mmCIF file with all atom_site columns, all heavy atoms in Angstrom:
data_model
loop_
_atom_site.group_PDB
_atom_site.id
_atom_site.type_symbol
_atom_site.label_atom_id
_atom_site.label_alt_id
_atom_site.label_comp_id
_atom_site.label_asym_id
_atom_site.label_entity_id
_atom_site.label_seq_id
_atom_site.pdbx_PDB_ins_code
_atom_site.Cartn_x
_atom_site.Cartn_y
_atom_site.Cartn_z
_atom_site.occupancy
_atom_site.B_iso_or_equiv
_atom_site.pdbx_formal_charge
_atom_site.auth_seq_id
_atom_site.auth_comp_id
_atom_site.auth_asym_id
_atom_site.auth_atom_id
_atom_site.pdbx_PDB_model_num
ATOM 1  N N   . ALA Q 1 99  ? -7.304  3.606  4.231   1.00 0.00 ? 99  ALA Q N   1
ATOM 2  C CA  . ALA Q 1 99  ? -7.053  5.035  4.421   1.00 0.00 ? 99  ALA Q CA  1
ATOM 3  C C   . ALA Q 1 99  ? -6.113  5.270  5.599   1.00 0.00 ? 99  ALA Q C   1
ATOM 4  O O   . ALA Q 1 99  ? -5.180  6.089  5.525   1.00 0.00 ? 99  ALA Q O   1
ATOM 5  C CB  . ALA Q 1 99  ? -8.378  5.768  4.636   1.00 0.00 ? 99  ALA Q CB  1
ATOM 6  N N   . ALA Q 1 134 ? 44.017  20.215 13.788  1.00 0.00 ? 134 ALA Q N   1
ATOM 7  C CA  . ALA Q 1 134 ? 43.968  21.036 14.995  1.00 0.00 ? 134 ALA Q CA  1
ATOM 8  C C   . ALA Q 1 134 ? 42.929  20.544 15.981  1.00 0.00 ? 134 ALA Q C   1
ATOM 9  O O   . ALA Q 1 134 ? 42.877  21.002 17.120  1.00 0.00 ? 134 ALA Q O   1
ATOM 10 C CB  . ALA Q 1 134 ? 43.679  22.490 14.614  1.00 0.00 ? 134 ALA Q CB  1
ATOM 11 N N   . PRO Q 1 226 ? 9.653   -5.021 -10.269 1.00 0.00 ? 226 PRO Q N   1
ATOM 12 C CA  . PRO Q 1 226 ? 9.319   -6.213 -11.059 1.00 0.00 ? 226 PRO Q CA  1
ATOM 13 C C   . PRO Q 1 226 ? 10.195  -6.315 -12.308 1.00 0.00 ? 226 PRO Q C   1
ATOM 14 O O   . PRO Q 1 226 ? 10.634  -5.302 -12.869 1.00 0.00 ? 226 PRO Q O   1
ATOM 15 C CB  . PRO Q 1 226 ? 7.855   -5.986 -11.428 1.00 0.00 ? 226 PRO Q CB  1
ATOM 16 C CG  . PRO Q 1 226 ? 7.670   -4.505 -11.406 1.00 0.00 ? 226 PRO Q CG  1
ATOM 17 C CD  . PRO Q 1 226 ? 8.583   -4.007 -10.324 1.00 0.00 ? 226 PRO Q CD  1
ATOM 18 N N   . THR Q 1 329 ? 21.744  13.650 -1.160  1.00 0.00 ? 329 THR Q N   1
ATOM 19 C CA  . THR Q 1 329 ? 21.086  14.167 -2.366  1.00 0.00 ? 329 THR Q CA  1
ATOM 20 C C   . THR Q 1 329 ? 20.298  13.066 -3.083  1.00 0.00 ? 329 THR Q C   1
ATOM 21 O O   . THR Q 1 329 ? 19.144  13.276 -3.493  1.00 0.00 ? 329 THR Q O   1
ATOM 22 C CB  . THR Q 1 329 ? 22.125  14.766 -3.310  1.00 0.00 ? 329 THR Q CB  1
ATOM 23 O OG1 . THR Q 1 329 ? 22.867  15.782 -2.635  1.00 0.00 ? 329 THR Q OG1 1
ATOM 24 C CG2 . THR Q 1 329 ? 21.462  15.357 -4.536  1.00 0.00 ? 329 THR Q CG2 1
ATOM 25 N N   . GLU Q 1 392 ? -16.816 14.125 -28.622 1.00 0.00 ? 392 GLU Q N   1
ATOM 26 C CA  . GLU Q 1 392 ? -15.362 13.976 -28.745 1.00 0.00 ? 392 GLU Q CA  1
ATOM 27 C C   . GLU Q 1 392 ? -14.972 12.509 -28.906 1.00 0.00 ? 392 GLU Q C   1
ATOM 28 O O   . GLU Q 1 392 ? -14.017 12.183 -29.617 1.00 0.00 ? 392 GLU Q O   1
ATOM 29 C CB  . GLU Q 1 392 ? -14.676 14.568 -27.526 1.00 0.00 ? 392 GLU Q CB  1
ATOM 30 C CG  . GLU Q 1 392 ? -14.732 16.083 -27.462 1.00 0.00 ? 392 GLU Q CG  1
ATOM 31 C CD  . GLU Q 1 392 ? -14.116 16.636 -26.198 1.00 0.00 ? 392 GLU Q CD  1
ATOM 32 O OE1 . GLU Q 1 392 ? -14.035 15.876 -25.209 1.00 0.00 ? 392 GLU Q OE1 1
ATOM 33 O OE2 . GLU Q 1 392 ? -13.707 17.804 -26.196 1.00 0.00 ? 392 GLU Q OE2 1
ATOM 34 N N   . ALA Q 1 397 ? -13.079 8.123  -32.602 1.00 0.00 ? 397 ALA Q N   1
ATOM 35 C CA  . ALA Q 1 397 ? -13.297 6.905  -33.376 1.00 0.00 ? 397 ALA Q CA  1
ATOM 36 C C   . ALA Q 1 397 ? -13.130 7.168  -34.870 1.00 0.00 ? 397 ALA Q C   1
ATOM 37 O O   . ALA Q 1 397 ? -12.589 6.332  -35.606 1.00 0.00 ? 397 ALA Q O   1
ATOM 38 C CB  . ALA Q 1 397 ? -14.690 6.350  -33.078 1.00 0.00 ? 397 ALA Q CB  1
ATOM 39 N N   . GLY Q 1 414 ? -7.449  8.882  -23.653 1.00 0.00 ? 414 GLY Q N   1
ATOM 40 C CA  . GLY Q 1 414 ? -7.736  9.486  -22.362 1.00 0.00 ? 414 GLY Q CA  1
ATOM 41 C C   . GLY Q 1 414 ? -7.218  10.908 -22.264 1.00 0.00 ? 414 GLY Q C   1
ATOM 42 O O   . GLY Q 1 414 ? -6.137  11.237 -22.741 1.00 0.00 ? 414 GLY Q O   1
#
Side-chain angles (χ1 to χ4, degrees):
T329 303
E392 289 176 338

